[in-house]
């Protein structure tokens, strides 16, 4: 008997690490042991591999078998190592030629009957294998379409362990088994969401276009029925389509979350967690395995928090760091997982608990203390990170029932957004960011992009009297540059700055 080696992939966040799977038979005493820092699910692979090999016609020797997962210091988790362990075991037992498996990567879970079952995270795993220079990867049949999205590596899909053994040159009979399949994914958002359906909210629609053009965060405050959710759900439809690299990032995160992937979706994702979501549900977490949270699933898209004051304050404050850095790190005792989290945050809230404060013709039953307590659930630092703060009102019944449609459709708005982003990208062509919402404030306050004193005078006065913080000062400048890009002018003027102040604070300085 000899030692055989093959390869698998361990995932930490969206990063894949190559793991060498070594199998070695030694004494006559039957035993199967996995070493190399496996978790409980991986430890249970012992019985799955034994039964799968037996039912697939791969009669491995009943000797002491040791499987080592190297590097031993890297935590390994999940059932995606099953196939690599089984192949290495069969190769060590002389059933599969050992030289054919040394340069191949295997990802997949085994059923007791020998069939291959899909596992989450195949896309980032295959990408890691391709980046490491491996020529071939073998995945379950159900993950074939997902794995094929990665170029530069040969992807082979198999329905059973016997089929994998045959691919490596083993003399085994391949049974005709029904492959394990996964259901086709359903779109979370129905088609046909168009800005033309929004009637009587011209100011809010204009603000939504500004948010899309500059990648700005936005808060909508208004009574129930004012159309806050309606507006937010139409934001992905006016954002530029994702390019292949961005769509691949989004697909990799969806794969980690366990969603079926059959192709690249160019539409920006839209994630709207319920207000009962915990901090871990928003930013990600887990005890043994880190799972991406809502902010990670919203990467390159929109995170919409409806009824924002109803969220736990600790969960809301957990958004502050990723809003600035565009990444989130989940720290646990045994590992640290890092995820990309560059998203647009859209908040929606009522003016008070009953929703009628300040609404003409409606009676607010909330005492002043309750209104202040309700508004204070959003901390000052979180509010300071919001670029656009807008109040929306209910639409008059005469307009709501008129049947009219807005002349600004999502297609027209997207064209404006794409043109504005192209202007911003040209401005930032030598920088690592491409939208105004990501630009550091000091680049706009000092240097070549500093606005003339007569233009920024209202903003300077607002900063001096404490109406805006320095962070808010920077955000007003970002909005002003976005308004200039939408207007087709090279430098913001007094009109753009005044409009930016209104969008940020709801007032003119």
């Amino acid at each position: 008997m000899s030692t055989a080696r093959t390869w698998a992939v361990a995932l930490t966040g969206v990063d894949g690490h190559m793991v060498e799977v070594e199998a070695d038979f030694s004494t006559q005493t039957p035993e199967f042991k996995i070493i190399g820092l496996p978790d409980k699910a991986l430890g249970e692979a012992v019985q799955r591999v034994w039964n799968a090999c037996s039912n697939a016609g791969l009669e491995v020797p009943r000797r002491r078998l040791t499987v080592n997962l190297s590097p031993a210091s890297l935590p390994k988790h999940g059932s995606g190592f099953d196939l690599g362990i089984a192949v290495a075991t069969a190769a060590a037992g002389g059933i599969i030629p050992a030289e054919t498996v040394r340069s191949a990567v295997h990802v997949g879970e085994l059923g007791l009957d020998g069939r291959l079952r899909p596992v989450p995270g195949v896309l980032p795993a295959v990408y890691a294998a391709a980046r490491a220079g491996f020529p071939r990867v073998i995945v379950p049949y159900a993950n074939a379409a997902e794995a094929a999205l990665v170029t530069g590596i040969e992807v082979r899909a198999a329905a059973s362990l016997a089929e994998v053994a045959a691919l490596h040159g083993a003399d085994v009979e391949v049974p005709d088994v029904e492959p394990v399949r996964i259901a086709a994914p359903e779109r979370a958002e129905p088609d046909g969401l168009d800005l033309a359906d929004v009637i009587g909210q011209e100011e809010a629609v204009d603000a939504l276009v500004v948010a899309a053009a500059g990648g700005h965060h936005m808060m909508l405050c208004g009574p129930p029925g004012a159309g806050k959710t309606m507006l937010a759900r139409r934001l992905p439809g006016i954002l530029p389509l994702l390019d292949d690299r961005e769509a691949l990032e989004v697909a990799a995160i969806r794969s980690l979350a366990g969603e079926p992937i059959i192709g690249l979706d160019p539409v920006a994702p839209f994630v709207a967690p319920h207000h009962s979501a915990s901090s871990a549900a928003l930013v990600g977490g887990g005890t043994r395995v880190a799972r991406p949270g809502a902010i990670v699933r919203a990467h390159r898209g929109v995170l919409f928090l409806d009824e924002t004051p109803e969220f736990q304050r600790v969960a809301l404050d957990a958004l502050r760091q990723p809003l600035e850095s565009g990444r989130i790190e989940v720290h646990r005792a045994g590992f640290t997982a890092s995820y990309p989290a560059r998203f647009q945050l859209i908040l929606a809230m009522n003016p008070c608990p009953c929703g009628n404060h300040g609404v003409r013709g409606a009676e607010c039953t909330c005492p002043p203390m309750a209104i202040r307590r309700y508004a204070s659930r959003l901390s000052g630092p979180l509010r300071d990170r919001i670029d656009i703060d807008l109040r929306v009102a209910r639409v008059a019944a005469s307009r709501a029932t008129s049947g009219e449609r807005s002349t600004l459709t999502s297609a027209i708005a997207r064209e404006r957004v794409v043109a504005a982003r192209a202007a911003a990208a040209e401005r930032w062509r030598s920088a690592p960011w491409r939208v105004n919402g990501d630009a550091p404030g000091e680049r706009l306050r000092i240097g070549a992009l500093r606005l003339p004193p007569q233009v920024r005078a209202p903003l300077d006065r607002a900063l001096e009297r404490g109406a805006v913080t320095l962070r808010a000062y920077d955000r007003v400048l970002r909005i002003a540059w976005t308004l200039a890009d939408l207007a087709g002018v090279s430098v913001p003027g007094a009109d753009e700055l005044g409009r930016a102040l209104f969008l940020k604070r709801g007032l003119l300085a």
Side-chain angles (χ1 to χ4, degrees), residues 13 263 313 370 392 468:
R313 179 158 180 169
V392 293
V468 296

Side-chain angles (χ1 to χ4, degrees), residues 360-381:
R360 182 181 301 176
E363 180 182 0
C364 177
T365 59
C366 304
M369 182 60 70
I371 297 174
R372 288 195 296 270
R373 186 164 51 245
Y374 184 77
S376 67
R377 294 180 185 178
L378 272 71
S379 66

Side-chain angles (χ1 to χ4, degrees), residues 103-130:
S103 60
V105 180
H106 300 84
V107 179
E109 177 185 333
L110 287 174
L112 297 181
D113 58 356
R115 291 190 298 169
L116 283 180
R117 301 182 182 277
V119 292
V122 164
L123 182 56
V126 175
Y127 180 74

Side-chain angles (χ1 to χ4, degrees), residues 149-188:
L149 296 175
V150 181
T151 58
I153 189 170
E154 179 189 0
V155 176
R156 301 294 296 271
S160 66
L161 178 59
E163 185 177 347
V164 175
L167 288 174
H168 287 299
D171 185 16
V172 296
E173 180 182 354
V174 180
D176 186 15
V177 299
E178 178 66 22
V180 179
R181 304 177 187 273
I182 53 179
E186 296 181 0
R187 289 189 62 86

